[in-house]
Amino acid sequence: MTQLLLTYDFPPIGGGIARMMGELTRRYPPGSLVVSTGGLQGSGELDAGFGNRVDRLPVPSRRLRTMQGLVAWSRRAQELAQAVQPEFVWCGNLKPAGYPAAWVQRRLGIPYGIVVYGTDLLLLQHRLRSSSLKRRVARALIGSAAVLVAISQWTRQQCLTVLGELGFRGGEIDVRVVPLGTDPAYFHPGIDTTEARRRYGLGQGRWLITVARLVAHKGI
């Protein structure tokens, strides 16, 4: 069965979410996923290498958050859903992807799930306290979702806190944890570290490396 992925962040855009969405697209069985995202000049060759269809709107990615972009995205998502009949729709993040997913769910009855991250949840938590409109919108998008997927246990706990602030009862929203994976072809034990230790002046102790930004919401 085919699934539909709606994502604002997608290669060649940089960042962790875009990388995750690209890796998911690369690893879904060929022909089992259709990706809907914004337009980016020069992305055709990259898209052709994924093995799953990448459908880009004529709207630039940066414009998908605007009202006009959301309307165009919602209509295109409905067209894709009617054409490929997906069993499920995934949102790469809550906003803006949740809007076209909810549109498809209301019109075609196809369930959707939302992937959540620490940054989005912390921003949402801040906005809920300052805007009743954003609170109602977030509650509607989350309440209509079949599942929320957190990328870590910490993110799940943060998600549960936000759900409580939105007025959802414990267990009312299905929140799963699917940790981020790694590619064992590139990351595996047993690599000779002698050259790397010599190059960077590292001793024989244990070292922790992170490629994330050193900001508080990364949990470091």
Side-chain angles (χ1 to χ4, degrees), residues 82-103:
Q82 289 172 326
V84 303
Q85 295 293 305
E87 62 175 345
F88 202 81
V89 176
W90 286 107
C91 302
N93 44 27
L94 173 61
K95 295 181 180 179
Y99 293 104
W103 176 287

Side-chain angles (χ1 to χ4, degrees), residues 49-147:
F50 279 113
N52 280 297
R53 176 184 172 189
V54 179
D55 185 87
R56 291 190 182 268
L57 284 86
V59 180
S61 293
R62 67 181 183 278
R63 300 289 297 169
L64 289 182
R65 293 182 182 273
T66 66
M67 181 61 70
Q68 296 91 336
L70 287 173
V71 170
W73 198 5
S74 297
R75 289 174 175 170
R76 182 55 183 161
Q78 182 176 345
E79 291 174 358
L80 285 172
Q82 289 172 326
V84 303
Q85 295 293 305
E87 62 175 345
F88 202 81
V89 176
W90 286 107
C91 302
N93 44 27
L94 173 61
K95 295 181 180 179
Y99 293 104
W103 176 287
V104 171
Q105 192 267 344
R106 285 195 298 269
R107 283 156 179 77
L108 303 178
I110 302 172
Y112 68 90
I114 305 169
V115 184
V116 294
Y117 317 89
T119 306
D120 289 349
L121 292 169
L122 290 171
L123 289 172
L124 177 60
Q125 192 173 35
H126 174 73
R127 291 165 181 165
L128 294 180
R129 298 166 181 171
S130 60
S131 172
S132 59
L133 174 60
K134 290 180 179 179
R135 182 184 184 89
R136 291 195 300 272
V137 170
R139 182 176 171 82
L141 293 178
I142 292 173
S144 298
V147 65

Side-chain angles (χ1 to χ4, degrees), residues 126-195:
H126 174 73
R127 291 165 181 165
L128 294 180
R129 298 166 181 171
S130 60
S131 172
S132 59
L133 174 60
K134 290 180 179 179
R135 182 184 184 89
R136 291 195 300 272
V137 170
R139 182 176 171 82
L141 293 178
I142 292 173
S144 298
V147 65
L148 304 183
V149 175
I151 61 172
S152 68
Q153 289 291 347
W154 183 90
T155 305
R156 183 178 189 274
Q157 291 304 314
Q158 187 66 33
C159 183
L160 294 176
T161 299
V162 173
L163 292 178
E165 294 184 8
L166 283 169
F168 291 108
R169 301 184 303 276
E172 184 176 355
I173 303 297
D174 188 6
V175 184
R176 311 287 183 94
V177 177
V178 179
L180 293 174
T182 58
D183 188 339
Y186 293 95
F187 304 100
H188 57 84
I191 297 175
D192 185 1
T193 61
T194 303
E195 174 58 25

